Amino acid sequence: MSTKKPSSSSNITIRDVAQLAGVSPATVSKVLNGIPYVSPDTHARVQAAVEQLQFRPNSIARSLKMSRTSTLGLITNDLEGVFTMSMMRGVEEVAAEQGFSVFLCNSYGEPERERAHLQVLLDKQIDGVILMNGFRVHERGAPALSLGNMPVVYLFQYTRTSGIPSVIPDDFGGAVTGTQHLLDCGHQRIGVINGPPNYEATHIRLAGYRQTIEAAGLTFDPALVRAGKWYESFGYALTNDLLSQAEPPDSLFCMSDSLAVAAMSVVRERGLNIPRDISVVGFDNRAFAGHQTPPLTTVKLPLVEMGRLAGELLLQAIKAGKPADEIYRVPCELIQRASTRLMASPESGVN
Amino acid sequence: MSTKKPSSSSNITIRDVAQLAGVSPATVSKVLNGIPYVSPDTHARVQAAVEQLQFRPNSIARSLKMSRTSTLGLITNDLEGVFTMSMMRGVEEVAAEQGFSVFLCNSYGEPERERAHLQVLLDKQIDGVILMNGFRVHERGAPALSLGNMPVVYLFQYTRTSGIPSVIPDDFGGAVTGTQHLLDCGHQRIGVINGPPNYEATHIRLAGYRQTIEAAGLTFDPALVRAGKWYESFGYALTNDLLSQAEPPDSLFCMSDSLAVAAMSVVRERGLNIPRDISVVGFDNRAFAGHQTPPLTTVKLPLVEMGRLAGELLLQAIKAGKPADEIYRVPCELIQRASTRLMASPESGVN
DNA sequence: CTGAAAGCGCTAACAA
DNA sequence: TTGTTAGCGCTTTCAG
């Protein structure tokens, strides 16, 4: 009894092609791999044979010989994280473009699982691996398993000590962009609804906000800032609180779209119009941002782009040697919708 | 010049182990694969050598020999679909449990890309593949490429003609559950906010609703039903319209959580209390459902479970031969939260 | 320009 | 119980 299951891919090998074309297997291999010094004539005969037999080279055999698998690993700590999918899409996209497949692994944030997955991936001879955080930019140490000289890239997390290239969003720049936009709209008292203190983004975005308003000659006023958690249910109280003070803000920069949705709802309940009476800017550019009434202006987290960059860095490392082990900060673009209104510039405005 | 890049996994082979243990490679292979008839003594020596050398078998070589890769393919038409992640998690979970890795591929719904991915996966000798729809249960035809006898499972999509096992949610049963719950709460006029007609779920869920109220002796009233699209922005007008009629419904069954969120907001704006004045039930059990005020009672789409089942069916087919090519409908459970209130049963109630 | 030969690391008869 | 042998399907010197 043969234990070999009938492979679904046809069982024709390079020898069959060689035989049909009347050449040696070595020659077939050469035309398959585009190695020069093959006469046009043989080249054509081989190609015809390949065609006729519908031959597909067995990439396992090739991998065994070459020690390359054209395969990447992608390990995430949270497969259901809010930001996971888009980054994954970016990674998958570049990988597919360059003929690579990607293994998907979920570590649930447990080092032991990360180790186990890395071990399997190492056994399967993948060419490189991306370690991705699904919901929070964070500094972390080395991979849970020593990877020898296999290329690694960190995504949505970073390290300063392990010599691993890292791709993260430019939260600071994003906050600057959002704040500047509100400033450009003519606002002077920009309120902030922020996330929890155990997220780096919370602090970095606030810093970006602060620097921008100060650069505009305004004074940073802690009374305009509230912080809680990222999701909607926290936005209601925070916004109500912020708007209840004597000198309420004239605009709101919410550091997540979920918070912005809550904020808009509170603003509406108070009988104010967005953007006439008050502008609202979000952060993230989640799918629902464009479906709000009015559609939410927001600072976009460049997730797909980040995934792509991580993939590109990894492939580059695989093909050409280690890329600079820097921290790559991808810019966050402002997505302008209807929850803010650009005022006429002073020069062109009505006097 | 060697083109062989220094493999990150150590280069020790089964021969090194054999040598150190003073046995033949074949013997090492036997203990590695748990084949009996190896003396306890040699077994121990081999294991010691494996340990000492930190030996890890090269799974590429093993795959070449055995024509099995312990690898699955997962192709989705929408990597960023709302339901994609959870199903993926289920698949990844069972795969990892059984020592399989999964290749992730995005076809963007284009047959040409599906074909290309399948081709690559076939070349890489995967053991089986799951074709998953990321956002909509739909009937579809055969895979874009003939897969020979490689096992396939459809997930969140199905076929009646291609002999492929399919896993989908029991939308009908879910609608029955949700409706029955509202009935149990004592409601008599259950309004429905539904999705667009080009989704099968729209019709199936409505049918489930209808059958349930009719089974309870009530008459199906089209005036209680509204339909638009799945997402929030459509929920406002639909709900307002529904509540504005002469005899408004006493409860709302929204066929998506997004619609339910909109409905709740409208209800609140009209000064009604949930659940005192009106109950609201959603569908899907999205992450945000539990964060609403009040937390939303909803019918859960069993996405992780479906992913797991699809994975299990596939692995079973790989290991033991094709499973019955049926359509597996996974039940939708009611997640009871605070937007509905179970009334005391008639018997035990105050007279 | 082409082919013969060796071997990637492993498993599976078959013999001993 | 163990070892010898013969490949899996491919690539790559190296000789012709």
Side-chain angles (χ1 to χ4, degrees):
Chain A
M1 176 195 90
S2 166
T3 53
K4 175 177 172 179
K5 82 157 190 243
S7 154
S8 45
S9 75
S10 51
N11 273 336
I12 26 176
T13 78
I14 207 172
R15 308 181 81 88
D16 300 319
V17 178
Q19 190 166 1
L20 178 59
V23 297
S24 77
T27 302
V28 175
S29 174
K30 278 169 199 151
V31 345
L32 252 30
N33 294 291
I35 290 167
Y37 301 113
V38 176
S39 81
D41 181 55
T42 23
H43 193 282
R45 282 217 314 292
V46 169
Q47 214 134 49
V50 166
E51 212 64 37
Q52 187 182 330
L53 261 30
Q54 294 272 37
F55 169 73
R56 298 240 100 217
N58 178 331
S59 72
I60 296 286
R62 190 192 299 238
S63 291
L64 178 58
K65 187 69 188 166
M66 319 245 287
S67 301
R68 287 188 297 98
T69 51
S70 295
T71 296
L72 267 34
L74 175 57
I75 303 185
T76 176
N77 65 339
D78 183 10
L79 201 33
E80 295 182 277
V82 191
F83 303 130
T84 307
M85 295 188 307
S86 301
M87 291 190 284
M88 260 175 34
R89 177 158 87 78
V91 172
E92 198 275 345
E93 212 170 79
V94 289
E97 282 169 17
Q98 307 207 25
F100 278 69
S101 306
V102 5
F103 276 130
L104 178 67
C105 308
N106 191 359
S107 71
Y108 296 88
E110 300 166 19
E112 201 35 64
R113 286 193 201 236
E114 179 173 309
R115 229 185 53 72
H117 273 127
L118 284 172
Q119 188 62 266
V120 171
L121 295 179
L122 234 31
D123 290 348
K124 291 205 167 142
Q125 310 259 71
I126 62 166
D127 297 328
V129 66
I130 292 175
L131 262 28
M132 171 175 90
N133 194 306
F135 57 97
R136 159 202 292 210
V137 178
H138 225 62
E139 180 161 15
R140 59 162 286 178
L145 185 69
S146 167
L147 264 22
N149 44 32
M150 187 174 73
V152 194
V153 172
Y154 279 176
L155 178 52
F156 218 63
Q157 57 187 343
Y158 64 96
T159 173
R160 279 192 273 251
T161 57
S162 304
I164 291 170
S166 309
V167 178
I168 59 177
D170 179 10
D171 279 307
F172 189 90
V176 169
T177 304
T179 307
Q180 189 60 53
H181 173 63
L182 253 10
L183 251 18
D184 292 344
C185 288
H187 297 297
Q188 304 277 338
R189 292 182 58 75
I190 305 174
V192 171
I193 311 282
N194 212 346
N198 60 328
Y199 276 65
E200 294 187 3
T202 300
H203 306 286
I204 297 175
R205 292 177 189 173
L206 185 62
Y209 158 82
R210 178 169 189 163
Q211 180 191 287
T212 310
I213 59 165
E214 287 179 347
L218 300 175
T219 315
F220 173 74
D221 182 358
L224 290 179
V225 178
R226 292 292 181 284
K229 301 216 171 186
W230 293 119
Y231 46 91
E232 210 171 324
S233 45
F234 273 79
Y236 299 105
L238 259 23
T239 308
N240 258 320
D241 186 35
L242 200 53
L243 295 183
S244 298
Q245 53 193 313
E247 274 195 277
D250 55 16
S251 56
L252 256 19
F253 190 2
C254 305
M255 295 311 183
S256 85
D257 286 344
S258 295
L259 289 172
V261 166
M264 291 208 287
S265 149
V266 168
V267 168
R268 264 197 312 270
E269 273 170 25
R270 289 173 160 254
L272 299 170
N273 175 281
I274 305 170
R276 186 164 22 83
D277 305 320
I278 187 169
S279 290
V280 178
V281 170
F283 211 113
D284 293 347
N285 194 35
R286 298 278 298 278
F288 56 78
H291 290 151
Q292 303 304 308
T293 39
L296 178 66
T297 294
T298 193
V299 177
K300 176 187 160 196
L301 228 33
L303 301 167
V304 176
E305 293 82 352
M306 287 166 48
R308 290 194 59 100
L309 178 57
E312 278 158 7
L313 289 171
L314 186 61
L315 290 167
Q316 184 182 315
I318 290 167
K319 291 173 173 168
K322 244 185 168 43
D325 56 320
E326 335 171 13
I327 295 180
Y328 296 82
R329 280 172 232 274
V330 182
C332 300
E333 182 195 355
L334 181 82
I335 305 295
Q336 205 176 318
R337 298 205 181 88
S339 65
T340 56
R341 202 182 31 160
L342 205 56
M343 300 179 86
S345 64
E347 296 87 343
S348 66
V350 182
N351 255 33
Chain B
M1 178 194 89
S2 166
T3 53
K4 175 175 169 180
K5 82 157 191 242
S7 153
S8 45
S9 77
S10 51
N11 272 335
I12 27 178
T13 78
I14 207 172
R15 308 183 80 89
D16 300 319
V17 178
Q19 191 167 0
L20 179 59
V23 298
S24 78
T27 303
V28 175
S29 174
K30 277 169 199 150
V31 346
L32 252 30
N33 294 292
I35 289 166
Y37 300 114
V38 176
S39 81
D41 181 57
T42 24
H43 193 281
R45 282 216 315 292
V46 169
Q47 213 135 48
V50 165
E51 212 64 38
Q52 187 181 331
L53 262 29
Q54 293 272 36
F55 169 73
R56 297 239 101 217
N58 179 331
S59 72
I60 296 286
R62 180 180 297 196
S63 290
L64 178 58
K65 184 71 188 167
M66 318 244 290
S67 301
R68 288 188 296 99
T69 52
S70 296
T71 296
L72 267 34
L74 175 57
I75 303 185
T76 175
N77 65 340
D78 183 9
L79 201 32
E80 295 182 278
V82 191
F83 303 131
T84 307
M85 297 189 306
S86 301
M87 290 190 286
M88 261 175 33
R89 176 157 89 78
V91 172
E92 198 274 345
E93 212 170 79
V94 288
E97 282 168 15
Q98 307 207 24
F100 278 67
S101 306
V102 5
F103 276 130
L104 177 67
C105 307
N106 191 358
S107 71
Y108 297 87
E110 299 166 21
E112 201 35 64
R113 287 194 200 236
E114 178 173 310
R115 231 185 50 73
H117 273 126
L118 284 172
Q119 187 63 264
V120 170
L121 294 179
L122 235 30
D123 290 348
K124 292 206 167 140
Q125 311 257 72
I126 62 166
D127 297 328
V129 66
I130 292 176
L131 263 27
M132 171 176 90
N133 194 307
F135 57 97
R136 161 202 292 209
V137 177
H138 226 59
E139 180 161 16
R140 60 161 287 178
L145 185 69
S146 166
L147 264 22
N149 44 31
M150 188 173 73
V152 194
V153 171
Y154 279 176
L155 178 53
F156 219 63
Q157 56 187 343
Y158 64 96
T159 174
R160 279 192 271 250
T161 57
S162 303
I164 292 171
S166 309
V167 177
I168 59 177
D170 179 10
D171 279 307
F172 189 89
V176 169
T177 304
T179 308
Q180 190 59 53
H181 174 62
L182 255 8
L183 252 17
D184 292 344
C185 287
H187 298 296
Q188 303 278 339
R189 292 182 59 73
I190 305 174
V192 171
I193 311 283
N194 213 346
N198 60 328
Y199 275 65
E200 294 187 1
T202 301
H203 306 286
I204 296 175
R205 291 175 189 175
L206 184 62
Y209 158 82
R210 178 170 187 161
Q211 179 190 288
T212 310
I213 60 165
E214 288 180 347
L218 301 174
T219 316
F220 173 74
D221 181 359
L224 290 178
V225 178
R226 293 292 181 282
K229 301 216 169 185
W230 293 117
Y231 45 92
E232 209 172 324
S233 46
F234 273 78
Y236 300 104
L238 259 26
T239 308
N240 258 319
D241 186 33
L242 200 52
L243 295 183
S244 298
Q245 51 193 313
E247 273 197 278
D250 55 17
S251 56
L252 256 20
F253 191 2
C254 305
M255 296 310 183
S256 85
D257 287 343
S258 296
L259 288 172
V261 166
M264 290 209 287
S265 147
V266 168
V267 168
R268 264 195 313 269
E269 272 170 25
R270 289 174 159 253
L272 298 170
N273 175 282
I274 304 170
R276 188 165 18 85
D277 304 320
I278 187 168
S279 290
V280 178
V281 170
F283 211 114
D284 292 349
N285 193 35
R286 298 278 298 278
F288 57 77
H291 290 151
Q292 303 304 309
T293 40
L296 179 66
T297 293
T298 192
V299 178
K300 176 187 161 196
L301 229 32
L303 301 167
V304 176
E305 293 82 352
M306 287 166 49
R308 289 194 60 101
L309 178 58
E312 278 157 8
L313 289 171
L314 186 61
L315 289 167
Q316 183 182 316
I318 290 168
K319 291 173 173 168
K322 244 184 168 46
D325 57 320
E326 339 171 10
I327 296 181
Y328 296 82
R329 281 173 231 273
V330 182
C332 301
E333 181 195 357
L334 181 81
I335 306 295
Q336 205 176 318
R337 298 205 183 88
S339 66
T340 56
R341 202 182 31 161
L342 206 56
M343 298 177 86
S345 66
E347 296 87 340
S348 65
V350 182
N351 254 31

